[in-house]
Structure formats: structure tokens, C-alpha cells
Amino acid sequence: MTWDWNFAIEVFPEIAGAIWLVIGITLGAYIVSLVFGLALTFARRSSFKPLALATYGFIEFVRSTPPLVQLFFVFFALPSIGISFDKYTAGILTLGIHYSTYLSEVYRSGIEAVPKGQWEAAKAMNFSKMQTWFKVILPQALPPVIPMMGNYLLVLFKETPILMAIGVGEFLQEAQLIGAANFKYLEPITIVGLLFLLLSYPSALLINKLEKRSKRGFRSTKKAVKEMNEFEELKG
Amino acid sequence: MGAIEKDLASKDSLSTLVRYENVTKRFGDIEVLKGVDLDIKPGEKVALIGPSGSGKTTIIRMLMTLEKPTSGVISMGGEPLWHKKSSSGKLVPADEKHLRRMRSDIGMVFQHFNLFPHMSILRNVTEAPIHVLGLSKEEARERAVDMLEKVGLGDKLDAYPEQLSGGQKQRVAIARAVVMRPKVMLFDEVTSALDPELVGEVLEVIKDLAKETDMAMILVTHEMDFARDVADRIVFLHDGQIEEQGTPQEVLENPSSERLQAFLSRFLRN
């Protein structure tokens, strides 16, 4: 069997046509994981011990079972107790919740790196719990972990092919259907690999660049202010 | 008879802002405070001195609600800080709402400044007045600028903490606490983390503040000259207990306990 360029060119648009669906599912699941991950982080730190313990258990359970099993559970098992989702919602929720457990660990590491003195200062300034989190702690905890968060976006993106198991027409599902119809798998599956590479690699570069720029940008504004102050002093 | 008692009681609450009654604190096996009784009058400036580990810092950290006393009652303006009167009149542990209301009368400056590094100097000082006191942005800015000028940093409004020296950071921290207009200000060894040449500027700011404000102040310090200048009363702690207290003259020039004499002679020698 040799590579058939005509066949490859013919099927490429069909497979690549799933691109918006894949991006949509990735972003949807990522947003779920960002928000739900933060909720898990808070719940795990709750002073109400049963909640903290239950959250810990949930995180460990979700992290140590395969996402494919969780997907089947959500899509095939939950309807039997009256909870059913369409395949897209099921896919977004499953991937989102699975990755929320990783993101909650990322948040946790960022939060633990904030010095204790910041909590105490927030208390001395009489901030409420919410204000302490959103004005003092998270603005310091999140910037250092942005690269890790970006990484999980890419890992999540590469996990989307498991959704073919419940019939979501993403890249692999399309390629599989084309392959089965033509008895030719080399080209469609290779194209899937290429598409993932084409989307992942530039994203990784972009995340790197954003990370560097955000660091530099933060510093350069501060540096500019400092230079301005020195200039003012010289003038005065 | 009843009227007189009532009168006495209200007089008592007027003349005492902060009261510690047989307060103890234990960290695991270590008993840091072994029953402290201490009254602070409104506007009074009290310096806490003593060897490290004597419990001075713990005393003010408990008032700031950063540590919970193991036993005893701390009250603020006649109202228990860590306890609440339940409907049956019994003291029960306070909830966050009660603590937050009590905290609004208390301000604190820390040894390591603890400025918010992600906020400009101005925002460090305006953030709580806007979001906790509910002042308008203009009012908060006016108050903050006024306060920052008073501590000599009116030209650093847009700078970030990391651009300032330790002495400047500590002066911002003082402005940030005072701008909330608490009834009592706590200073926790505020010059201990500073280079020697920066200590003076911070002490000057506190001295000026002490002269012109009617806030009470509790200062944990190792600077004896400073304590003499600022304090109405000096309290010497040793091993979790108040060993001796009195006016700066009494305590520093005429110490009666041997431990205080030993402590002071060590300081004078250094």
C-alpha cells in the first residue's frame, strides 16, 4: 500500500471540517475545568471538614479512573438513573470535570506559594473572605501557574479523540468513517496526526510567547514607572 | 445603689479600650502565655518589651485575631473579641461576622511589611478604604495621598512595593493601616527586618504619629530609646507573664525585678 496523494487531498477537507467542533469542545471543556477546578480548590480548603474530605475523595477518584470510563459512565450509565445529556454536553462535561481535578492541583500549588503574611495582612485590613481571595491571594497565586494551565489546555485538546467513542464527529471519528468506507486508513489517520500537530505546536509556541511577554510586560511597566520617578527626582 | 454601679461600669468601659483577662496561649506543648492581665486605655501608647519567646508578639497577634487564645477573655471596648454572648447570656465562640466587626477597630503593622506586591503603593492604601469602609474612590484617594505624604512618600504613589527600600515599604504599611482609622494600632517589631540605617526613618514616622493621634498603640519593640520616647507605659514580659510595668522612667531607670535588670543591662551593653 502506498501513499495516495489524490485520495489524501480529497479527504483532507472532510476531516479538517471538524476543526471548529474540536476547538469548540476543547474550549468548552477547558472553561468547565477552569471554573469547576477553582470550586474544587475552595471546597477542599473549606473549614467544614466533611466537604473538604468529600472533595479530596472526589478529586482522587476522578484522577485515578480513565476518562474513557468516565465518559461511558456519563453517557451510557447516568441515563439509567434519569440523567441524560446529548453527546456534546456529555463530552464537554466529562473532559471538563476530569481536567478540573488537575487544574485544582495547579491552583493549589499557586495558592500555597503565596506567603502567609499576605493572608494576615488581608485580615488586618479587614477584608472579607471573598475579597481576600479575589483581591489579594488569587492575583498573586495565578500568574506563576499560567504556563501550567496552558499546558493542560494542550493536553485536554489532545484528549478529544476519546469522544469518538460516543459518536462525536471529531477528527478521528471522521477519519475512521472515511477509512472504513474506502478501506484506506493510511491517509486519513495520518491527516489526523498532522492536524493535531498543526494545531498543538503553534499553540505551544503561542503559550510560551504569551508567558514571556506577560512577564516582560509586567516588569517593563514597572521599570518604566521607576525610570520616570528617577527622572522626576533628577528634575526636582 | 444600682445607678452607681451602672455609672461605675460605664466609666470602666470608657477608661479601658482593650482588656486581657487571664489570657493564656499554648502552641502544642509550649505554653507561650501563662495568664496575662493587661488593660489599655483609649489613646494610650504601650510598649511591650522582653526577650524573644516571652510572648510579646503573641499578645498583639491575638488582638488582631491572627491567633486564638487558649483560655481567658480579650475584650475591646467592653465587648469580648473571641466570644459572643449567646441569647442565654453565656459566652460562646465568636463567628466570622463578629470577628470582622471587632477587627474594624484594630490595625496592625508587621515585621515583614506584608504589602500587596501586585498593587501600586496608592492602591495598597486605598483598597481597604474603598472595599471595606465603603468610601468613594475620590475620598479614599484623598485620604491615602494625605497619609502617604505624611509618611514622606507622596512622590511614590504609582511605584510598586518591590521598587521601594525596606524603610519606605514599612512607612507605606503604616499609612495603609492608619488610613483605616482604627482605635488601636499594633506594631509588631516593625524595625527588626530593616537595615540599621533605615530604622530611624520608620521610628520617626511612628513618633510623629503617636504625638498627633488619639489612637491607642501597642508596640512590640527592641528599641529601648524609642520605647522611652513614645510610650506612656512600658510592659516587660518574661516567660509568658508580665513581670513588671510602669512609666518609661520607672521601668528603664528604676527596674525592680532582677530579670528586668538583667534584660536591660544586656541591651545597654550591646
Side-chain angles (χ1 to χ4, degrees):
Chain A
M1 196 173 191
T2 51
W3 179 263
D4 181 347
W5 277 107
N6 288 333
F7 181 59
I9 290 165
E10 184 194 325
V11 300
F12 182 82
E14 278 180 59
I15 301 171
I19 191 165
W20 297 116
L21 180 67
V22 173
I23 289 175
I25 285 173
T26 305
L27 290 183
Y30 192 58
I31 290 166
V32 170
S33 69
L34 286 177
V35 175
F36 195 64
L38 194 61
L40 287 177
T41 310
F42 288 151
R44 202 179 154 180
R45 298 179 61 101
S46 167
S47 54
F48 180 58
K49 285 290 167 242
L51 177 64
L53 218 67
T55 309
Y56 171 77
F58 177 80
I59 289 174
E60 288 307 309
F61 175 72
V62 171
R63 282 208 303 178
S64 48
T65 42
L68 187 59
V69 176
Q70 290 162 8
L71 185 66
F72 275 28
F73 185 80
V74 169
F75 191 65
F76 296 118
L78 281 188
S80 62
I81 56 165
I83 307 168
S84 52
F85 303 103
D86 64 70
K87 57 188 176 185
Y88 301 106
T89 313
I92 286 173
L93 281 181
T94 307
L95 283 178
I97 289 172
H98 189 82
Y99 278 86
S100 74
T101 61
Y102 295 108
L103 278 160
S104 96
E105 283 300 300
V106 172
Y107 290 135
R108 192 178 62 84
S109 69
I111 289 165
E112 279 174 6
V114 177
K116 198 173 134 235
Q118 293 292 311
W119 293 91
E120 296 188 342
K123 213 175 222 187
M125 301 311 293
N126 210 6
F127 284 129
S128 68
K129 281 250 161 73
M130 282 301 250
Q131 288 168 337
T132 302
W133 276 112
F134 288 98
K135 292 185 180 303
V136 179
I137 304 302
L138 291 179
Q140 296 180 64
L142 295 185
V145 298
I146 285 173
M148 275 201 272
M149 290 163 69
N151 244 344
Y152 276 116
L153 174 61
L154 290 183
V155 179
L156 171 59
F157 167 64
K158 285 187 289 179
E159 199 86 76
T160 52
I162 68 161
L163 299 191
M164 80 174 280
I166 58 169
V168 173
E170 44 66 60
F171 295 144
L172 193 59
Q173 167 86 349
E174 294 297 320
Q176 158 80 17
L177 291 177
I178 291 167
N182 300 282
F183 299 108
K184 274 169 136 175
Y185 286 96
L186 178 64
E187 294 82 0
I189 304 293
T190 308
I191 287 170
V192 172
L194 275 176
L195 280 170
F196 272 104
L197 181 70
L198 282 176
L199 284 169
S200 289
Y201 191 63
S203 307
L205 291 182
L206 191 72
I207 287 170
N208 260 333
K209 210 170 173 184
L210 279 179
E211 181 197 338
K212 276 192 192 125
R213 183 180 299 176
S214 75
K215 268 188 199 159
R216 209 181 327 128
F218 189 51
R219 258 192 227 123
S220 69
T221 23
K222 283 207 267 183
K223 211 175 144 204
V225 170
K226 195 177 181 181
E227 276 161 8
M228 216 173 65
N229 285 340
E230 282 164 3
F231 179 67
E232 294 288 327
E233 267 166 33
L234 283 177
K235 238 178 22 178
Chain B
M1 190 66 191
I4 294 169
E5 267 172 15
K6 209 175 166 190
D7 192 43
L8 278 176
S10 72
K11 220 175 175 178
D12 186 58
S13 71
L14 274 180
S15 63
T16 307
L17 178 66
V18 178
R19 166 166 285 175
Y20 291 77
E21 286 170 275
N22 198 20
V23 172
T24 69
K25 176 66 186 178
R26 182 184 274 286
F27 292 107
D29 288 339
I30 304 158
E31 199 168 24
V32 185
L33 290 176
K34 301 171 178 170
V36 166
D37 291 290
L38 182 66
D39 279 8
I40 313 253
K41 297 192 208 57
E44 195 184 11
K45 320 291 187 257
V46 176
L48 299 184
I49 62 170
S52 57
S54 59
K56 352 179 249 310
T57 290
T58 308
I59 289 187
I60 60 173
R61 284 175 61 82
M62 287 193 299
L63 186 58
M64 190 68 259
T65 71
L66 301 174
E67 309 283 358
K68 196 175 179 177
T70 306
S71 70
V73 176
I74 303 174
S75 36
M76 175 85 201
E79 202 178 341
L81 179 66
W82 282 101
H83 305 84
K84 246 171 75 167
K85 276 212 171 76
S86 72
S87 46
S88 62
K90 260 175 67 183
L91 287 184
V92 294
D95 51 18
E96 180 60 25
K97 201 175 143 207
H98 172 85
L99 287 173
R100 223 185 146 209
R101 187 168 57 79
M102 299 300 285
R103 248 180 240 141
S104 64
D105 287 335
I106 309 163
M108 184 160 178
V109 181
F110 297 88
Q111 184 176 351
H112 295 287
F113 334 124
N114 299 355
L115 293 181
F116 303 129
H118 56 298
M119 298 182 191
S120 69
I121 298 310
L122 182 66
R123 250 193 87 200
N124 260 281
V125 184
T126 56
E127 200 69 3
I130 293 170
H131 298 287
V132 176
L133 301 182
L135 298 189
S136 72
K137 276 194 180 137
E138 293 72 34
E139 264 178 292
R141 191 191 150 92
E142 209 172 295
R143 244 201 223 189
V145 170
D146 194 45
M147 206 49 234
L148 283 166
E149 276 168 1
K150 213 170 267 175
V151 300
L153 292 169
D155 57 338
K156 298 286 186 199
L157 302 182
D158 298 320
Y160 279 82
E162 65 162 30
Q163 296 167 249
L164 303 187
S165 72
Q168 291 173 324
K169 280 185 205 166
Q170 198 56 298
R171 286 186 277 149
V172 174
I174 293 168
R176 180 178 72 165
V178 173
V179 84
M180 300 293 283
R181 299 187 182 160
K183 289 189 181 139
V184 57
M185 275 283 295
L186 312 174
F187 294 86
D188 184 13
E189 299 195 31
V190 292
T191 57
S192 298
L194 296 178
D195 292 335
E197 75 271 20
L198 301 176
V199 168
E201 63 186 62
V202 172
L203 295 185
E204 278 313 309
V205 163
I206 300 175
K207 275 184 211 167
D208 290 347
L209 193 65
K211 254 177 248 157
E212 57 189 63
T213 174
D214 54 2
M215 283 185 300
M217 292 183 171
I218 309 178
L219 309 113
V220 171
T221 184
H222 290 292
E223 307 277 342
M224 295 303 146
D225 291 333
F226 168 68
R228 187 199 313 264
D229 286 353
V230 171
D232 302 314
R233 178 157 54 116
I234 296 184
V235 174
F236 172 67
L237 272 128
H238 181 87
D239 199 20
Q241 279 172 318
I242 294 178
E243 176 96 8
E244 189 168 339
Q245 57 179 312
T247 64
Q249 281 73 21
E250 286 166 355
V251 170
L252 297 179
E253 276 145 39
N254 247 329
S256 53
S257 90
E258 256 171 55
R259 284 188 184 126
L260 177 53
Q261 286 165 8
F263 174 74
L264 290 175
S265 71
R266 227 176 308 138
F267 258 92
L268 294 178
R269 242 183 287 130
N270 291 343

